[in-house]
Amino acid sequence: GLNARFIAKAIGCSVGTLYNVFKNIDFLIFEVNMRTLITLEKHLQKTRDLSEIITCYIDYAANNQNLWSTLFEHRFSNPNDTPSDYYNKRENLFHILEQSIAAKKPALSQHQVALEARALWAGAHGICSLMLNNKLSDDGFKPQDIANTLISKFDPQGAQQ
């Protein structure tokens, strides 16, 4: 439901001024998403512990629902227009997990570490998505308990029980 008129009114400018700065609404959302990725990266870099990284990710999603949702739910009208900076910045989130997994599992190849990082992130992302849509706690299970179970599959000593 995001549109240029709403944004222009909210920031106190005309729609024309908005389009002088941004090629289209996708590029405005891209700018917001880049700032969100930078903030999220800084948030996650505070620790190297897998459990804490995932907890930080879930907390960020819970406390910044609109930004988190925009980051992962917006589809560019022309995906080929998506600036490469976006993908590079998003990749940094995986690198944070990769560093932690590589430190815990030095015998894994770089490919295996990257695969585990993406599997763990996908699981944590699913927890966030379900949590934000109120589809997770209706049966009494808490998101953090579910996350701890997920983390225990990647780091048996690291999950807080």
Side-chain angles (χ1 to χ4, degrees):
L2 193 60
N3 66 53
R5 280 196 177 96
F6 175 79
I7 294 167
K9 184 178 179 183
I11 62 175
C13 72
S14 70
V15 173
T17 300
L18 196 62
Y19 284 120
N20 283 335
V21 177
F22 300 101
K23 179 179 174 181
N24 59 38
I25 196 79
D26 281 340
F27 283 86
L28 184 143
I29 292 171
F30 164 76
E31 187 62 37
V32 170
N33 284 347
M34 284 297 289
R35 292 176 189 207
T36 301
L37 283 169
I38 290 166
T39 302
L40 184 55
E41 181 181 358
K42 287 178 184 175
H43 192 67
L44 297 179
Q45 284 179 332
K46 293 178 183 176
T47 183
R48 294 277 184 232
D49 180 75
L50 281 178
S51 180
E52 289 178 21
I53 292 169
I54 299 305
T55 297
C56 284
Y57 185 73
I58 292 170
D59 288 347
Y60 186 87
N63 294 318
N64 301 279
Q65 293 181 23
N66 290 337
L67 291 172
W68 188 89
S69 294
T70 300
L71 181 61
F72 294 110
E73 293 175 9
H74 177 74
R75 292 188 183 132
F76 285 87
S77 55
N78 182 356
N80 294 331
D81 282 346
T82 306
S84 62
D85 289 351
Y86 175 78
Y87 297 112
N88 295 337
K89 211 33 119 170
R90 193 181 64 188
E91 192 72 17
N92 289 347
L93 301 180
F94 292 127
H95 293 315
I96 293 167
L97 286 173
E98 288 170 4
Q99 291 170 351
S100 184
I101 291 169
K104 298 246 181 228
K105 300 179 175 185
L108 292 181
S109 71
Q110 186 176 2
H111 176 78
Q112 290 169 315
V113 167
L115 187 60
E116 284 206 10
R118 282 149 182 79
L120 178 56
W121 179 81
H125 184 81
I127 291 168
C128 290
S129 182
L130 292 168
M131 174 186 72
L132 295 180
N133 288 301
N134 296 317
K135 305 290 185 194
L136 196 59
S137 60
D138 58 343
D139 57 3
F141 292 101
K142 296 177 184 173
Q144 190 58 54
D145 293 338
I146 297 167
N148 288 341
T149 301
L150 174 66
I151 294 161
S152 73
K153 305 305 178 189
F154 294 89
D155 180 15
Q157 288 80 36
Q160 301 167 352
Q161 298 297 331

